[in-house]
Amino acid sequence: MQRHQKDPTETRPAPRWRIDDVPFGNIERERIADLDFYFHLLVSASFVEITAELYTRNLVEYFAGDVALQRWLLEHWSPEEMQHGHALRRYVGEVWPAFDWEAAYRGFYADYEKFCKTELLGPTRGLEMASRCIVETGTSSLYAMLHRAAPEPVLRDLTQRIRTDEAYHYQHFHAAFLRYRVKEATPRLAVLKTLLGRVREIGSEDAHYAFKHAGTPARTSTSGLSATSIARPDSSRGATTPTGWRCTWDLNH
């Protein structure tokens, strides 16, 4: 319990890992290249993670005056989230080299930025921090699942690194939540509604747009033969979506 009550402004040690630490040259493409589930999940995750700068700006604006929390968001949380996105993008490029990630991302960003706005965050700072805790719990669980289930060893390595970061982020958001819960005298019922609202967002718009623009992998054989063209479906709402991605508050509470 004590670790969850750390001050979120404390100085962070040196980064636990960098992209160059991941052995991308050792990827065993034949283990995963034909598995569309992993393609969709990894592309979608790369889109959302790499867009951290956008939703970090929203949080920094929302928490105006909380200089220490703003600094942590800008100097630690955002760079680490973006590193996740860049690392996942590189993995996708190694396994599915014919996929035009940049073009797909432009389509995702055009949709995503329309609703990723400060006014869609929580009604109070404490409840927004409770929401952040659910997001980090969900993403940590997602990457833990990928670490255990992925058929490719480098992906297991990468997702374990990301999972560790997400657990660290949860600790900081939880500490901020505890601070604001006391300061704002947040009722337990309001916290419960927030937690339930985030659970209901498993099919939320950010995940929907990410899956929508991920499309389908171009088929390049492991021997390097030519690929078919990429088709992007009009809707992916039927696909399984990761828990808790990042941007919006459930306006149905």
Side-chain angles (χ1 to χ4, degrees):
M1 288 296 297
Q2 186 62 35
R3 352 179 347 201
H4 285 188
Q5 296 178 19
K6 292 190 301 186
D7 181 349
T9 67
E10 70 177 21
T11 302
R12 185 194 160 177
R16 285 171 295 277
W17 65 282
R18 301 180 186 279
I19 291 180
D20 289 343
D21 297 332
V22 181
F24 291 104
N26 296 337
I27 292 174
E28 300 176 28
R29 275 194 75 238
E30 68 279 2
R31 289 178 174 265
I32 197 170
D34 291 332
L35 301 179
D36 287 4
F37 169 78
Y38 287 97
F39 169 81
H40 285 105
L41 196 57
L42 297 175
V43 171
S44 300
S46 73
F47 287 171
V48 177
E49 298 274 17
I50 215 166
T51 312
E53 188 175 8
L54 176 60
Y55 45 83
T56 299
R57 285 202 308 267
N58 294 344
L59 287 174
V60 167
E61 179 182 342
Y62 187 78
F63 285 92
D66 191 338
V67 176
L69 180 57
Q70 290 175 318
R71 182 182 303 117
W72 179 77
L73 290 167
L74 289 167
E75 296 180 0
H76 302 299
W77 186 60
S78 181
E80 289 176 2
E81 295 292 298
M82 292 179 69
Q83 176 170 266
H84 300 166
H86 286 293
L88 290 166
R89 176 185 179 179
R90 181 167 173 183
Y91 186 90
V92 167
E94 294 286 344
V95 177
W96 298 280
F99 177 67
D100 190 344
W101 188 97
E102 190 65 43
Y105 179 73
R106 285 196 299 270
F108 161 76
Y109 191 89
D111 283 337
Y112 188 65
E113 67 173 342
K114 295 173 185 176
F115 72 90
C116 193
K117 300 179 183 300
T118 304
E119 56 265 29
L120 296 180
L121 297 179
T124 70
R125 291 181 171 190
L127 293 178
E128 179 58 31
M129 285 294 96
S131 183
R132 293 296 103 192
C133 288
I134 289 294
V135 170
E136 298 302 332
T137 300
T139 51
S140 180
S141 298
L142 168 68
Y143 291 117
M145 177 274 292
L146 284 170
H147 170 68
R148 291 192 299 268
E152 200 286 307
V154 175
L155 181 58
R156 292 198 295 270
D157 178 359
L158 173 57
T159 51
Q160 174 61 16
R161 295 174 190 271
I162 298 176
R163 187 209 68 80
T164 300
D165 285 348
E166 301 291 0
Y168 166 80
H169 298 162
Y170 167 84
Q171 293 177 17
H172 281 255
F173 284 125
H174 186 258
F177 161 70
L178 293 177
R179 180 161 52 88
Y180 277 106
R181 184 184 65 178
V182 172
K183 184 176 181 179
E184 299 171 344
T186 306
R188 290 185 179 182
L189 181 58
V191 176
L192 178 60
K193 289 178 64 178
T194 295
L195 302 183
L196 293 175
R198 268 299 178 179
V199 170
R200 292 200 303 269
E201 286 187 355
I202 289 176
S204 62
E205 289 185 357
D206 43 0
H208 161 61
Y209 285 128
F211 270 73
K212 172 185 174 182
H213 290 285
T216 56
R219 287 300 178 204
T220 305
S221 74
T222 53
S223 62
L225 298 177
S226 62
T228 60
S229 62
I230 299 170
R232 294 198 185 93
D234 290 333
S235 176
S236 305
R237 286 197 184 275
T240 300
T241 54
T243 301
W245 278 341
R246 302 272 180 192
C247 207
T248 59
W249 178 262
D250 185 353
L251 297 178
N252 294 319
H253 320 166

